[in-house]
Amino acid sequence: MEEKIKLDIVTPYGSVLSEEVDEVVAGGSEGEFGVLPGHVPFITTLKIGMLDYKKDGRTFHVFVNSGYAEVSDNNVMVLADSAERSEDIDVERAREAMQRAEERMKKEDDLDFVRAETALERAIIRIQVSEKARSI
Ligand code: ATP
């Protein structure tokens, strides 16, 4: 049988995904990385970004909010602050979060600016992940 990778994505809100997949591509803090069966073990922190995985010839997209990924023995374990599969992203909610963040960035002090900037990044990437899934 063809070798697979067990991909788990877990957040404090619960398990987002637990599947046997063929390939995983994600954005590490040091750059994008891809994992195929038999990959050497490693651990990396993750940026706010998109994780892609391939299964049975199809590509799926997941929004991942920071955290880290551990690769070992054909397992990819992602622990993230939050994460959603593309089809679970509420685009309207992300648009509202984007607007709130933009408003805060216009008026508040430096500390809140950074928080708003991160919230803005989450919202923008959620919208991108959702749009990418719909464009296929
Ligand atoms: P918001 O301001 O809309 O809550 P946020 O970026 O602050 O957005 P997070 O702290 O990343 O939200 O996530 C909190 C919870 O809400 C998590 O369970 C996350 O999966 C979920 N969540 C946040 N935004 C969305 C969205 N646009 N669609 C679906 N689930 C979302």
Side-chain angles (χ1 to χ4, degrees), residues 69-122:
E70 180 176 10
V71 178
S72 67
D73 300 329
N74 288 342
N75 289 295
V76 177
M77 168 60 86
V78 173
L79 294 178
D81 292 344
S82 54
E84 300 101 44
R85 294 165 182 256
S86 57
E87 65 268 29
D88 294 328
I89 294 174
D90 179 340
V91 176
E92 199 46 48
R93 176 173 167 175
R95 288 211 179 96
E96 284 167 13
M98 188 166 89
Q99 272 174 1
R100 279 197 308 276
E102 283 171 344
E103 288 304 315
R104 285 207 303 270
M105 286 168 74
K106 278 185 208 155
K107 51 187 177 201
E108 298 196 0
D109 61 32
D110 275 358
L111 187 68
D112 281 341
F113 185 91
V114 173
R115 282 178 51 192
E117 203 172 32
T118 312
L120 180 64
E121 196 181 352
R122 288 196 299 275

Side-chain angles (χ1 to χ4, degrees), residues 3-133:
E3 260 193 302
K4 296 274 185 184
I5 299 165
K6 177 78 189 309
L7 171 62
D8 284 284
I9 303 179
V10 179
T11 76
Y13 305 95
S15 169
V16 171
L17 191 139
S18 181
E19 285 192 32
E20 302 275 329
V21 307
D22 300 308
E23 185 179 349
V24 179
V25 177
S29 306
E30 309 293 317
E32 194 175 83
F33 63 90
V35 179
L36 289 165
H39 200 290
V40 291
F42 76 100
I43 294 181
T44 182
T45 49
L46 296 173
K47 296 191 297 189
I48 297 171
M50 179 159 61
L51 178 148
D52 292 343
Y53 66 93
K54 285 190 186 157
K55 182 173 179 170
D56 304 330
R58 284 185 63 194
T59 303
F60 299 85
H61 308 288
V62 184
F63 165 78
V64 177
N65 174 18
S66 313
Y68 86 96
E70 180 176 10
V71 178
S72 67
D73 300 329
N74 288 342
N75 289 295
V76 177
M77 168 60 86
V78 173
L79 294 178
D81 292 344
S82 54
E84 300 101 44
R85 294 165 182 256
S86 57
E87 65 268 29
D88 294 328
I89 294 174
D90 179 340
V91 176
E92 199 46 48
R93 176 173 167 175
R95 288 211 179 96
E96 284 167 13
M98 188 166 89
Q99 272 174 1
R100 279 197 308 276
E102 283 171 344
E103 288 304 315
R104 285 207 303 270
M105 286 168 74
K106 278 185 208 155
K107 51 187 177 201
E108 298 196 0
D109 61 32
D110 275 358
L111 187 68
D112 281 341
F113 185 91
V114 173
R115 282 178 51 192
E117 203 172 32
T118 312
L120 180 64
E121 196 181 352
R122 288 196 299 275
I124 289 172
I125 294 180
R126 281 185 169 114
I127 293 166
Q128 286 173 349
V129 170
S130 174
E131 282 174 355
K132 181 132 195 189

